[in-house]
Amino acid sequence: MDSAQLLAELVDDPWVATRRDGVPINGQNAQSLDSNAKDSPSGLSVIGSLSPVGAAQAQKGGGGGGRGAVGRGRGSSYSDAPRTGRGRAKYHGGAYVGTWYDDHDDEVRRAETEISEVGIARIGPVSDTDEELPAPGPVSWDETWQNPDDTVSIDVTNAGWYRVGTHTTAADGTNLGWEAVDVLVKDDNDTYSIAQKWKVSPRI
């Protein structure tokens, strides 16, 4: 195909994990959540004609070694990276993550959010290393949508790394920043497909 579409579907009842004081929460702290399921962005599912990879089995801690953790790009160990509840590899997720949540369970809360903006951008070619790809947070988006309520999409005409980001706000309007999913789109025999999916979030 000469082109395809990268689609992102917003899930119902999005939330983020936060330690910020004063943010309205739904009464459930992170300790009561599966430590493997800290998949807090805005609830993005990358779907559609790119034939996304299936959800991988979530695994406890493990993978990616210690605090240095696992990045994206060439040389990074996607298959060994710890997974979120949605099967995405955790960017900079290492064996320490589960222990960190255990040690900070009284600080972390699950805050219900609204999605004020979604952005999608191509952030680099397939050959980019983790050091060359952007850090967590917003980028110069190719397309944005204000207050979306369903599915957004962008035409894909080149293989490479793409970021799908959501700007989230709490019920009282508190800015909770950007969460994102970075995907590696490959062109295999003139057919686009998603080879990797990473959850890329700022530190809690």
Side-chain angles (χ1 to χ4, degrees):
M1 297 182 294
D2 292 331
S3 66
Q5 280 193 316
L6 178 66
L7 296 98
E9 182 179 42
L10 280 65
V11 303
D12 296 329
D13 302 320
W15 58 272
V16 297
T18 182
R19 289 193 290 168
R20 189 174 303 179
D21 292 336
V23 176
I25 60 174
N26 62 2
Q28 184 177 26
N29 68 27
Q31 177 65 9
S32 62
L33 303 175
D34 182 344
S35 63
N36 295 311
K38 300 290 187 302
D39 200 7
S40 56
S42 59
L44 281 172
S45 295
V46 180
I47 59 174
S49 56
L50 286 175
S51 301
V53 296
Q57 179 68 36
Q59 59 184 6
K60 178 75 173 177
R67 186 167 288 275
V70 184
R72 307 143 296 168
R74 287 183 305 179
S76 57
S77 185
Y78 178 72
S79 61
D80 294 332
R83 292 299 200 268
T84 69
R86 296 184 185 276
R88 301 161 185 152
K90 292 181 181 179
Y91 170 68
H92 279 195
Y96 72 95
V97 171
T99 301
W100 187 93
Y101 274 103
D102 290 341
D103 292 343
H104 295 83
D105 65 304
D106 58 337
E107 301 174 35
V108 181
R109 295 292 185 271
R110 173 170 146 167
E112 295 175 347
T113 67
E114 296 178 358
I115 301 168
S116 57
E117 185 177 10
V118 172
I120 303 180
R122 185 174 183 271
I123 57 174
V126 172
S127 60
D128 265 7
T129 65
D130 187 51
E131 290 74 19
E132 294 166 317
L133 293 170
V139 295
S140 180
W141 304 110
D142 295 332
E143 292 192 38
T144 58
W145 297 262
Q146 304 297 319
N147 302 308
D149 58 7
D150 190 5
T151 301
V152 299
S153 64
I154 189 173
D155 290 336
V156 172
T157 56
N158 292 291
W161 286 94
Y162 287 79
R163 174 164 296 179
V164 184
T166 57
H167 189 193
T168 59
T169 56
D172 67 347
T174 301
N175 178 11
L176 294 174
W178 286 82
E179 300 269 355
V181 176
D182 285 359
V183 297
L184 175 60
V185 175
K186 287 193 171 181
D187 182 356
D188 300 312
N189 299 318
D190 297 323
T191 299
Y192 290 111
S193 63
I194 293 177
Q196 298 184 20
K197 290 192 287 187
W198 293 84
K199 178 179 181 287
V200 180
S201 303
R203 295 286 187 184
I204 292 178

